[in-house]
Amino acid sequence: MYEQHYGITAKPFQLTPDAKFFFASDKHQQALSYLKYGLEQGEGFIVITGPIGTGKTTLAQNLLTHIENTNVEAIQIVTSKLSPEDLLAVIANEFGIATPVSNKAQLLKTIEQHLISLSKQQKRALLIVDEAQNLPADTVEELRMLSNFQINNKPLLQSFLLGQEELKAIIQSPAMEQFRQRIIASCHLKPLALTEIVQYISHRLSLVNIPDVNIFSTDCYPLIESQTLGVPRKINLLMDRILLYGFLNDIKKFGLEDVKSVILELAEELSSTIHLENEQATTVTNATPVDDQDRLQHSAIINASILEKIKIIDEFLQENVAQKIKMNRYLDKVSKQKKLALAQAEEEFIKTQNIIIAESEAHILATKNEAMAEAEEYLRQIKDKK
């Protein structure tokens, strides 16, 4: 609608995830590196979590773009609360497996046969589960069981899980101990910081070839941060409305008052989206006071909850540290292997070069000797004639 007004090739802030608009903030780049690392390993689970709208689906699409035209056959499913049997049926359907039966044992056998067939074709299977926080615990366990399909001690199916923060609670439950042991890396996406918001907006505008990416005055960005909390989806929503506002009012550069005007419009239309956090804070502030006994009980409950969350966070951080140490060791090993391979290649090149030089010198010497012999023979013949 407003593309011609700004001289751009497409809408830069659509809500629908699009891999070509992927923005590599520090956390998003770390998450993508973990996913690629998982592919290199060819085994284990990678878990990516993050609040709503922080770009998990876009991250998955970027990975799928990265592995196009490779030996990886990848499928992506967006889950609701699927039972283990329903999950198997969805996986079979996404792999294009004809499964007229609903018997779990037969479903498992059919999926395994398909994975074996891929392996014989020197292909690998990857399952990306989006919105994985919706999966019941027994369905997550079913994913672990699928990773037991192996040939020559190599898993036939690898799974990456992407989900909201609730997914961490599911995985941290005591019943998920075996599943946690299969996780080789995990990352929690965070909202963008102020500097990243500036870069994010410029990045998207540049991808649609806008003549000048600096369409906002610098004092706009702190307000954009406070209203969107750095969540990419909320930034997209606000930016799209600002661009529409500029089109309707025939302006191409925006100041603080322009941004405020759009925020006020959105607040009236979609207050739950833009001002949800502020409303919650107001609700807490205006709550009816409770008596001392209730307050003490409430405080005890909150403290217990906080301690439990701290414990979970501590365990999560410890696992992350261990995973990073493991990854650093792996990268050191790869680096040493590359240096060794380079040294061997250099040594082989020098040997080959020396052989060529020696052969060339021998050929030159032989040619020289032959020429000298011919010259001596010619001189002898002339002498004999005299």
Side-chain angles (χ1 to χ4, degrees), residues 1-14 208 239-252:
M1 180 176 182
Y2 52 62
E3 290 91 327
Q4 188 174 358
H5 174 70
Y6 296 102
I8 55 181
T9 55
K11 293 181 67 175
F13 298 103
Q14 296 190 88
V208 296
M239 291 301 101
D240 184 63
R241 285 299 296 268
I242 290 174
L243 292 179
L244 177 60
Y245 171 87
F247 168 68
L248 295 175
N249 292 277
D250 195 26
I251 57 178
K252 296 181 181 180

Side-chain angles (χ1 to χ4, degrees), residues 177-202:
E177 175 63 26
Q178 287 184 299
F179 183 86
R180 287 197 298 274
Q181 291 179 7
R182 301 282 182 96
I183 298 174
I184 61 173
S186 62
C187 183
H188 184 70
L189 299 179
K190 296 179 179 179
L192 304 178
L194 179 58
T195 55
E196 291 175 325
I197 291 174
V198 178
Q199 295 166 359
Y200 175 84
I201 293 172
S202 298

Side-chain angles (χ1 to χ4, degrees), residues 191-192 197 224-231 234-235 274 277-278:
L192 304 178
I197 291 174
I224 293 170
E225 179 191 29
S226 68
Q227 294 301 312
T228 64
L229 303 179
V231 175
K234 291 185 178 183
I235 296 173
I274 299 298
E277 292 75 14
N278 294 338

Side-chain angles (χ1 to χ4, degrees), residues 92-276:
N93 181 67
E94 290 297 322
F95 273 125
I97 306 170
T99 54
V101 295
S102 58
N103 179 276
K104 181 178 177 180
Q106 290 178 304
L107 272 173
L108 285 169
K109 186 64 178 177
T110 304
I111 292 172
E112 183 181 21
Q113 289 173 347
H114 177 73
L115 297 177
I116 291 173
S117 174
L118 288 178
S119 179
K120 290 180 179 179
Q121 300 172 52
Q122 303 300 313
K123 292 183 178 180
R124 295 164 49 196
L126 172 65
L127 169 63
I128 299 177
V129 183
D130 203 353
E131 301 295 344
Q133 78 281 351
N134 293 326
L135 291 177
D138 57 344
T139 306
V140 176
E141 177 63 13
E142 190 67 44
L143 288 173
R144 185 187 69 81
M145 296 302 293
L146 286 174
S147 69
N148 289 333
F149 289 151
Q150 297 183 0
I151 286 184
N152 299 325
N153 294 323
K154 291 185 178 180
L156 295 173
L157 177 67
Q158 188 174 18
S159 298
F160 295 166
L161 274 62
L162 289 77
Q164 297 171 26
E165 296 175 270
E166 296 87 339
L167 179 59
K168 291 195 293 185
I170 295 172
I171 294 175
Q172 289 291 346
S173 66
M176 290 289 105
E177 175 63 26
Q178 287 184 299
F179 183 86
R180 287 197 298 274
Q181 291 179 7
R182 301 282 182 96
I183 298 174
I184 61 173
S186 62
C187 183
H188 184 70
L189 299 179
K190 296 179 179 179
L192 304 178
L194 179 58
T195 55
E196 291 175 325
I197 291 174
V198 178
Q199 295 166 359
Y200 175 84
I201 293 172
S202 298
H203 169 74
R204 284 195 165 241
L205 289 172
S206 66
L207 288 176
V208 296
N209 300 319
I210 196 166
D212 182 7
V213 297
N214 299 310
I215 63 174
F216 293 100
S217 59
T218 54
D219 56 354
C220 292
Y221 292 106
L223 179 59
I224 293 170
E225 179 191 29
S226 68
Q227 294 301 312
T228 64
L229 303 179
V231 175
R233 187 178 299 164
K234 291 185 178 183
I235 296 173
N236 288 354
L237 174 63
L238 180 57
M239 291 301 101
D240 184 63
R241 285 299 296 268
I242 290 174
L243 292 179
L244 177 60
Y245 171 87
F247 168 68
L248 295 175
N249 292 277
D250 195 26
I251 57 178
K252 296 181 181 180
K253 300 280 186 177
F254 304 97
L256 186 59
E257 292 304 316
D258 299 313
V259 177
K260 285 181 178 179
S261 296
V262 175
I263 288 172
L264 286 174
E265 290 179 7
L266 281 171
E268 293 174 359
E269 300 170 15
L270 300 170
S271 59
S272 61
T273 300
I274 299 298
H275 290 291
L276 176 60

Side-chain angles (χ1 to χ4, degrees), residues 45 62 166 242 282 306 380:
F45 290 86
N62 185 274
E166 296 87 339
I242 290 174
T282 302
I306 291 173
R380 186 183 62 75

